[in-house]
Amino acid sequence: MHDRTALIEMRIERFVRERLAPAVYRARQALDIQAWEAPGEPVTFAEARDAEYRPFAIGTPWGRAWGTTWFAVSGEIPAAWRDADGSLPEGTVAELVIDLGFTAGQSGFQCEALVWNREGAPIKGVSPFNNASPAAVDADGRVDVLVEAASNPDVGSLFTFEPTHLGDLATAGDAPLYTLRDMSIGLRDLAVWELLQDFRLLHGLIAELDATSARRATLVEAMDAAIDAVDPEDVAGTAQAGRDVLAPLMAAPAASSAHVLHAVGHAHIDSAWLWPVRETARKVSRTFSNVLSLMDEDPEFVFASSSAQQFAWMKEHYPALWDRLKARVAEGRFVPVGGMWVESDTNMVGGEAMARQFVEGKTFFLEEFGIDTEEVWLPDSFGYSGALPQIMRAAGARWFLTQKISWNETNRIPHHTFRWEGIDGSRIFTHFPPVDKYNSEVTAADLAHAERNFADKGRARTSLLPYGFGDGGGGPTREMTATIARTHSLEGAPVVKHSTPREFFETAEAEYADPAVWAGELYLEFHRGTYTSQLRTKQGNRRSEHLLREAELWAATATVRTGAAYPAETFQRLWRLVLLQQFHDILPGTSIAWVHRDAERNYAAIAAELEQIIADSLRALVGTGDRAVVANAAPHRRSGAPALAIAPASPAGDVTPSAEGDGFVLDNGVVRAVVDGRGLITSLVEVDSGREVVPAGRTAGLFEVFRDTPTQWDAWDIDETYRRHVTPLDSAEAVRLDGRAIVVERRTGASTIVTRIALANGSRTVRLSLDVDWHEQQKLLKLGVPVDVHTDRAASEIQFGHIVRPTHTNTSWDAARFETAAHRWVRVAEPRFGVAVTNDSTYGHDITRHEREAGGTFSLVRLSIIRSAKFPDPGQDQGAHHLEVGIVVGAEVVDAVTEGYRTNLPERTVTDAAETSIAPLVVIDQPGVVVEAVKLAQDGSGDVIVRLYEALGERMHARLDAGFEVVGVVETDLLEREVDAAAVSSAAGGAVELDLRPFQLVTLRLKR
């Protein structure tokens, strides 16, 4: 038999293009269109309904960047479409067809719209590839709707990473971006549409089957015969005949060993990215309207959505949509998942903030829907902290889902279903969908890839298929659910079934009882620049986290000690705003300029409110008088004040530098630092031991400027090739004394760097205060601290502990980890000597080992201070910045923890106090046990909540003593629900004995 496959495939393609697709609508009827352009930001439906509209014609340009145009659309179904009884012909449906001028770019990255009825209820979202909507026809066959069209510019959906002026409202311009192409009623022929879905699926399946397979040959011949059965002059009248030819092939069952895909409708909606936060709320409304409309059409369709923040927006701004949504949630078809306020970053979010992501997210879903979400849903965050398994378990989660690790540039995680073990030993059942995307379009290619790619075949056969247009929203389409209906059992394809995340995880756990274990962080070998980009946003987050900690502590102390009111609602509002801005395209610094300028304004407002709460709380505690006191919110003693307490002020003060040669010396009897005439630290000695930190021939405090031109994803990526192009800033414009600090002024290009070097009495920490006025582009600024220790590992602080990473490059995994994230400190050490480097602003580090001149190796710690990518914000990080860095000599881990807090949470001095001492609410007798939060209980009971953790990575016995009357102590989860005691060995009144495993996180409720 001659092989005609190639010719038949060409015939199929042309048949679909020229016959089937154009015949989906039997007829089209133009509608009357009027338009009103909202003058500024988006408006309410009521305002738009009452606006003055003007006639608008198809083919007319519309829509300035980030604008909103409302279209009033009206008309009626033509009498010629109706049968004698007035109904539409059997097998047809009338619907709105809208083309706003969609471009070749992706769905969710350009213009889109929401169709409203005249009563103010959303009907459906409209976007590229999903541009039909129910027509909302009244009893007389009339259509009368409003279309809220958003002219969002396509900032970069084709990802050529070119700088754009469109990401900032101030520079975006007023020129119309789109041209209206269509607003009509179409009479959709259901048989033609169904045949089109048959052809698209089967043609895709042919491409995936082996060329020698009998099934493939049968499909080719049958599709050829189906084309013969359809009359090109009467596609509508003969489409069913074509379907009849294909019916036996569609009925052929899947193999008994076929992979099973649990299809979960999804629409990953970035809470901000290449659009501002305000637009995200509208994207959610459009997507959820689309989803609810599809549920009306398809009773099998199930949709899962994360991010409590996005649900909260619907409740606040779209009450009619909210009511429909709640009804579908009650049915179990619209499924809240994830249990977090947003899909946050996990590398840079602080420990308590990470906990609050779950507290606020899960609490919202419990209160609004009565649902305790047990799966953590983070498909797109840029790597996953080793602290997460414990935090997730402490929030009551059982399962974790992500996809992003499939983006690794170098290495492949060897599992798709496994148990992930965190730094404390907690494990959680984890799944990576082998389809390798969180926005599948349910093509035959996607289904085949998932089956072939699944790494755990032989022991398991189930995976999750998240499908629907995502990132910019949109969600599933009827074409996608049509494919699922056809592949519930189809020869040559995996089995696909509608499912929920819970059903998937329960099935996967049952079939795979003993999966492999992956221990430690899930490091993404990609997007390493996110630890550094948009420094102001990162500083705002870091400062907000510590201010919230401090404000809650002093407010709780004031309530317990004086009866002052506790501002619980204010705290929740501010926490939720901070949590929103921890979204994985805001905190990482990868959004348009508009997003980051909004974030900076929000952080300033947050700081102002929290500073006022702190001031009011301290005033309530110390009164007004003539005494100076220090308020120490840190978990360790400092400046004469116990941890978490207020005591008489006794500032340490800085030592005065002395001249030496062409430089200066700082010496406080604990540490001796020599700064030469170039402003570089040539010697840094621990006085008691005589141990020198700086290796021979090296200098500490050296800035280096690197070329920073990643291959792709500018604000996201630092490529390893940056190391090939370096300029050391080893000369200074000036080195001088200013009081008790050595001031060094440097210049690079159009930028200046001023460093103040100081050392406090009795301290092990040399402080570097940096003022950087940055005007470079595509450059990376790093600050280096070489440390004369021989080690192959470095410790880096993460949430509720630290992680140890290799500094060698023995394996491809080690080599790929060339830029890493740390919170307040990193430390390199030999068994009896170490040095920590602290910071108050940045997260990016590279820590390497190098050969010493006299033999052996030394470690080089470098902080990534600032970078200046041009996409998506061409003005990224331009201007003035202030940072604090500390070099802690002779630092044990406990010293690193203590100094990390000191750098980020300075004590406060009140100079006009009446009371000189306020005892802490709780005291811990072990410095290695860190009190992370002291607050009042969420339930308004007045109970005191204490969150603490073991910070050194050791087993530890500790005692907590409450400084107020306590009638009972219980362990709780993060949501403050009582759990079986895992750390409390005994409790008598306010005295609590704790037995902690390494890095164990504990939440205690102290009942008043």
Side-chain angles (χ1 to χ4, degrees), residues 277 540 544 574 577-578 580-581 586 594-609:
V277 168
S544 296
L574 295 179
L577 182 52
V578 171
L580 166 61
Q581 296 186 160
I586 303 179
W594 188 342
V595 173
H596 292 289
R597 299 306 86 77
D598 277 353
E600 291 158 23
R601 285 188 289 271
N602 287 337
Y603 286 132
I606 290 165
E609 281 202 72

Side-chain angles (χ1 to χ4, degrees), residues 800-883:
F800 304 121
H802 60 267
I803 193 166
V804 176
R805 302 179 177 109
T807 57
H808 57 65
T809 55
N810 283 358
T811 71
S812 60
W813 297 87
D814 303 328
R817 204 183 293 109
F818 58 81
E819 183 85 1
T820 56
H823 287 196
R824 291 167 291 211
W825 59 267
V826 298
R827 176 177 179 267
V828 290
E830 292 173 358
R832 285 181 291 277
F833 183 80
V835 172
V837 180
T838 66
N839 78 87
D840 77 335
S841 298
T842 188
Y843 298 88
H845 296 74
D846 74 291
I847 307 175
T848 51
R849 56 207 305 263
H850 303 269
E851 189 173 6
R852 293 173 78 245
E853 293 179 2
T857 66
F858 69 89
S859 297
L860 176 60
V861 176
R862 286 194 300 209
L863 292 82
S864 298
I865 300 297
I866 201 166
R867 59 193 301 259
S868 40
K870 297 174 71 173
F871 178 85
D873 174 10
Q876 176 186 314
D877 283 322
Q878 302 297 295
H881 309 269
H882 179 82
L883 307 87

Side-chain angles (χ1 to χ4, degrees), residues 185-215:
I185 297 179
L187 186 64
R188 181 161 64 100
D189 188 296
L190 300 182
V192 174
W193 184 86
E194 296 284 0
L195 180 60
L196 179 60
Q197 309 318 307
D198 293 342
F199 259 72
R200 285 177 171 165
L201 171 61
L202 295 179
H203 193 203
L205 187 56
I206 287 170
E208 301 303 321
L209 293 171
D210 187 273
T212 63
S213 110
R215 172 65 166 169

